[in-house]
Each structure stands twice: as structure tokens, then as C-alpha cells.
């Protein structure tokens, strides 16, 4: 991993690799992960950044009976998320984020005689606009809207079928208040409304009280 900054530009990059060979036939596992982020401070009030990641995992599936050398599962995930943060004023911060994620998962299961090849692809888009207002020194209010679109496509060579081609969309709005009337005490109230394309719309809420005790020594 490496991270740093040069003037108005900052960056980070991390790579990891995990390999395992377990003491059974067809029971290897491999995982590779790359994560990176790049940021640019346009001025004192506006900051641009983009996060990128790639994840790949593959392994054999030996099953309950010995001798299965064909079943396997692979998964790849690509994520790209650009964002811009704008300090509109000392008491108001606005952030706009877009995220695209694609998951691809081929697998073979069922053994060499009756096995089937399955391919699953999930593409998701998410856009969110969030605003945080410092109404007073001890009261913050966050509001936002988000839109999400998810497409799922699954094909299979199985004689029993099981293919999927579906799309789900969601438009939501939310608000949260965090008030600290005394030092250490936080009162949190939030409300969210979700409008779904394929399900009933929903209203959810949350109320919480938190107290952080000050150190005694």
C-alpha cells in the first residue's frame, strides 16, 4: 500500500493477494484486490475525488463426495465512484456521489455428468446528493436524496432452467437530526421514504440516544 499528496492532489493505492491450497482435491482458493483513490482540491471550498476498486476471487468446490474436480466458482467486482464535495458556507456542506458497480460470477456445479454452467451479472448505478447543515454549534441536520438502479441477468445451461432477467429501481429521500443539548449527550432522529419500482413503498424511522462519558482520569 502507498499513499501521499503533492500540492492539491492526493492519492492512495493498495494491493492484496491471498492464496490457499486446502488438503482436498479441487479445493484451491485465490483472491486479488486492488483499491485506489485520487483527489483534487480545486479551491478551499471544492474537492473532487474518485475511488476505484477491483476484486477477484476464484475457488474450487469439492462437494461432499471425493473425486469432484470440475465444480468451481469465480467472482469479479468492479467499482467506480466519483464525487464532489462543496463547502457552500461554514455551516453548510454539500456532496454529490455517483457509484457504478458491476459483479460478474460464473460457476460450474453438479459434477462432470450432470453439471451446469451458470453466469450471473449484476450492474448497479447509485447517485446520492447529501447536505449537512450546522444549524447551531450543537445541532446538525442532514438531508439527502438518492437514486438506485440494479439490473440482474443470469443464464444457465441447467435442464431445470433458472434464468433471471430483472431490473429494480429505487428513489429515496431522507433527513436526520443530531442534537447535543449537553456535553456528551446526542439525540438522533431520522426519517426516510423509499419509492420502489417493484415493491411497496416504505417509510422507515430511527430514534436514538447516545451518551459519551468523559474520562475520569
Amino acid at each position: 500500500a502507498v499513499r501521499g499528496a503533492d500540492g492539491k492532489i492526493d492519492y492512495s493505492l493498495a494491493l492484496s493477494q491471498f492464496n490457499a491450497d486446502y488438503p482436498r482435491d479441487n479445493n484451491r482458493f485465490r483472491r486479488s484486490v486492488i483499491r485506489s483513490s485520487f483527489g483534487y482540491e480545486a479551491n478551499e471550498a471544492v474537492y473532487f475525488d474518485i475511488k476505484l476498486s477491483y476484486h477477484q476471487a476464484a475457488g474450487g468446490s469439492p462437494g461432499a463426495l471425493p473425486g469432484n474436480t470440475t465444480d468451481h466458482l469465480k467472482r469479479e467486482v468492479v467499482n467506480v465512484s466519483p464525487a464532489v464535495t462543496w463547502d457552500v458556507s461554514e455551516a453548510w456542506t454539500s456532496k454529490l456521489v455517483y457509484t457504478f458497480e458491476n459483479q460478474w460470477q460464473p460457476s460450474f456445479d453438479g459434477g462432470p455428468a450432470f453439471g451446469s454452467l451458470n453466469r450471473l451479472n449484476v450492474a448497479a448505478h447509485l447517485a446520492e446528493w447529501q447536505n449537512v447543515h450546522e444549524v447551531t454549534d450543537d445541532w446538525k441536520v442532514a438531508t439527502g436524496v438518492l437514486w438506485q438502479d440494479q439490473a440482474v441477468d443470469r443464464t444457465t445451461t441447467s435442464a431445470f432452467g433458472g434464468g433471471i432477467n430483472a431490473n429494480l429501481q429505487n428513489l429515496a429521500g431522507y433527513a436526520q437530526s443530531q442534537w447535543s443539548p449537553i456535553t456528551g449527550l446526542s439525540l438522533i432522529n431520522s426519517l426516510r421514504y423509499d419509492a420502489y419500482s417493484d415493491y411497496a413503498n416504505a417509510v422507515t424511522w430511527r430514534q436514538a440516544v447516545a451518551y459519551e462519558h468523559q474520562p475520569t482520569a
Side-chain angles (χ1 to χ4, degrees):
V2 61
R3 62 185 301 177
D6 184 7
K8 295 185 176 183
I9 299 174
D10 61 85
Y11 61 89
S12 67
L13 176 66
L15 302 94
S16 65
Q17 177 74 29
F18 176 82
N19 302 322
D21 287 303
Y22 298 105
R24 293 183 65 184
D25 293 336
N26 190 33
N27 205 17
R28 295 195 316 162
F29 179 76
R30 301 287 184 269
R31 182 179 65 213
S32 305
V33 179
I34 302 174
R35 300 184 187 276
S36 63
S37 67
F38 302 91
Y40 173 68
E41 185 181 5
N43 52 54
E44 293 182 354
V46 179
Y47 177 76
F48 296 93
D49 72 277
I50 182 170
K51 295 179 173 60
L52 307 100
S53 66
Y54 173 76
H55 173 279
Q56 183 190 95
S61 180
L65 301 176
N68 184 346
T69 59
T70 59
D71 290 8
H72 62 269
L73 174 65
K74 183 179 180 180
R75 185 169 182 259
E76 290 184 280
V77 181
V78 176
N79 187 291
V80 180
S81 182
V84 56
T85 303
W86 178 27
D87 292 329
V88 184
S89 68
E90 293 184 357
W92 177 15
T93 300
S94 184
K95 185 173 184 179
L96 181 63
V97 181
Y98 167 74
T99 300
F100 171 74
E101 183 175 278
N102 190 85
Q103 300 184 42
W104 183 65
Q105 185 171 290
S107 64
F108 185 85
D109 60 75
F114 305 100
S116 62
L117 179 63
N118 310 289
R119 291 187 175 91
L120 175 67
N121 189 79
V122 180
H125 302 265
L126 186 146
E128 181 177 7
W129 181 31
Q130 184 182 85
N131 293 272
V132 178
H133 304 266
E134 293 188 13
V135 183
T136 63
D137 292 340
D138 52 16
W139 183 25
K140 291 183 180 181
V141 175
T143 59
V145 293
L146 66 87
W147 169 82
Q148 185 174 15
D149 179 273
Q150 188 176 63
V152 180
D153 183 70
R154 180 180 185 268
T155 60
T156 178
T157 60
S158 172
F160 301 99
I164 300 173
N165 189 289
N167 180 267
L168 175 66
Q169 292 187 352
N170 175 31
L171 180 63
Y174 60 86
Q176 176 175 289
S177 168
Q178 181 173 344
W179 178 42
S180 301
I182 61 174
T183 302
L185 178 65
S186 294
L187 306 177
I188 303 171
N189 298 276
S190 60
L191 182 69
R192 173 168 169 152
Y193 177 77
D194 287 273
Y196 295 100
S197 59
D198 291 45
Y199 304 106
N201 300 339
V203 176
T204 53
W205 56 273
R206 175 175 178 259
Q207 292 180 317
V209 177
Y211 182 74
E212 182 180 0
H213 194 279
Q214 299 300 311
T216 56

